[in-house]
Amino acid sequence: MAYNKKDLLSKAKEAIEKHKLFFVEDVVAFLPCAKPTFYEYFPAESNELNELKELLEKNRVELKVSMRSKWYKSNSPALQMALMKLISTPEELKKLAMQYQESENNHKVNISLKDAIKFSDNSES
């Protein structure tokens, strides 16, 4: 079956906006063509596919901003901790972590908070 490329592109854009889609696979599911046909009309790195990917990325960014805003306003410690981990510097992350890994001379050291406290207590004596 022959498809009109402009119609497919228009339907794809409409689906992205109407259904707040995030992935190309989801866009294809809303179109009246099979996945191979879609990629035949819109090959990788084509201007049209890149345009669709930009719309999908816009949806992802809007959702992430919205979620982070809700997490910031939330009284849930789990959500606030998740946000803190997203926005923290590496040093802050290390302080927040119950367990972290450091690489020293290409040796991985796994230190838990409990072990660090025990080591700290023993070194003070």
Side-chain angles (χ1 to χ4, degrees), residues 116-125:
I117 292 170
K118 193 186 310 180
F119 177 78
S120 173
D121 289 345
N122 289 341
S123 66
E124 290 177 7
S125 329

Side-chain angles (χ1 to χ4, degrees), residues 89-107:
T89 64
E91 293 79 24
E92 291 169 331
L93 274 175
K94 197 185 284 188
K95 290 177 183 176
L96 287 171
M98 295 303 287
Q99 184 172 331
Y100 66 92
Q101 289 186 343
E102 271 188 20
S103 178
E104 191 174 296
N105 298 330
N106 295 327
H107 297 288

Side-chain angles (χ1 to χ4, degrees), residues 25-102:
E25 298 284 322
D26 296 338
V27 176
V28 176
F30 281 94
L31 297 178
C33 67
K35 192 186 331 181
T37 305
F38 175 83
Y39 284 109
E40 208 174 285
Y41 280 87
F42 309 110
E45 303 308 318
S46 68
N47 290 337
E48 295 88 356
L49 185 59
N50 286 336
E51 185 179 350
L52 295 176
K53 287 179 178 180
E54 285 175 18
L55 292 172
L56 295 169
E57 181 63 19
K58 180 181 172 227
N59 285 348
R60 278 194 288 278
V61 169
E62 286 175 359
L63 178 65
K64 288 191 266 186
V65 169
S66 172
M67 289 177 68
R68 288 189 295 249
S69 177
K70 288 176 186 173
W71 294 1
Y72 177 74
K73 295 173 185 169
S74 171
N75 288 329
S76 166
L79 291 178
Q80 290 177 342
M81 191 61 139
L83 178 61
M84 185 64 184
K85 287 180 179 182
L86 283 175
I87 64 173
S88 293
T89 64
E91 293 79 24
E92 291 169 331
L93 274 175
K94 197 185 284 188
K95 290 177 183 176
L96 287 171
M98 295 303 287
Q99 184 172 331
Y100 66 92
Q101 289 186 343
E102 271 188 20

